[in-house]
Amino acid sequence: MDILMEYVKAFIVGGLICAIGQVLIDLTKLTPARILVSYVVVGTILGALDWYQPLIDFAGAGATIPLTGFGNTLAKGMRKAIDEDGLLGIFTGGFTACSAGVTAAIIFGLLVALVFKRTDRTRQE
């Protein structure tokens, strides 16, 4: 039963984060790109202040998978690199912390592009 509650909490928190983004799209003139960037910035700020970790402890993947979790990972990586390398860590920490996720996205994107054929649905043939 514990595992089921973990799934429910992840679904609720992740769904709430996505719902906020949808409300912002529907009710404001913000573009989706600006909303996504805002999510990363908010996650970075909350991560830098150590306010995002309690949400991760509560919701697990529901908090780490959305873009706010990416921002939190950037902040954690920078903090760790600053502790280890000093001022240079500001420039290297975020890249080090997120390199596996970015690499996976690039590789899987390439695989999908190789497997599936592109179609242009806007042009009538």
Side-chain angles (χ1 to χ4, degrees):
M1 194 65 168
D2 275 348
I3 192 77
L4 180 63
M5 279 310 295
E6 288 183 36
Y7 289 140
V8 169
K9 290 189 283 188
F11 178 79
I12 289 171
V13 171
L16 184 62
I17 291 170
C18 294
I20 292 169
Q22 187 63 49
V23 167
L24 290 172
I25 289 172
D26 292 342
L27 300 180
T28 68
K29 292 185 178 186
L30 292 172
T31 63
R34 288 185 179 182
I35 294 169
L36 295 175
V37 169
S38 299
Y39 270 19
V40 174
V41 170
V42 167
T44 303
I45 292 169
L46 293 176
L49 297 172
D50 274 336
W51 293 353
Y52 203 75
Q53 190 59 44
L55 186 61
I56 292 172
D57 294 340
F58 174 76
T64 57
I65 299 299
L67 282 174
T68 50
F70 178 72
N72 177 57
T73 302
L74 286 171
K76 276 185 179 176
M78 289 173 72
R79 184 180 308 126
K80 180 181 176 189
I82 289 169
D83 290 342
E84 293 174 359
D85 302 328
L87 191 59
L88 184 63
I90 292 173
F91 304 106
T92 62
F95 292 117
T96 303
C98 296
S99 60
V102 172
T103 302
I106 291 169
I107 290 172
F108 291 130
L110 175 64
L111 290 175
V112 168
L114 293 173
V115 171
F116 294 99
K117 181 180 176 186
R118 178 184 172 273
T119 60
D120 189 3
R121 297 186 186 269
T122 59
R123 188 178 69 191
Q124 298 292 328
E125 291 186 37

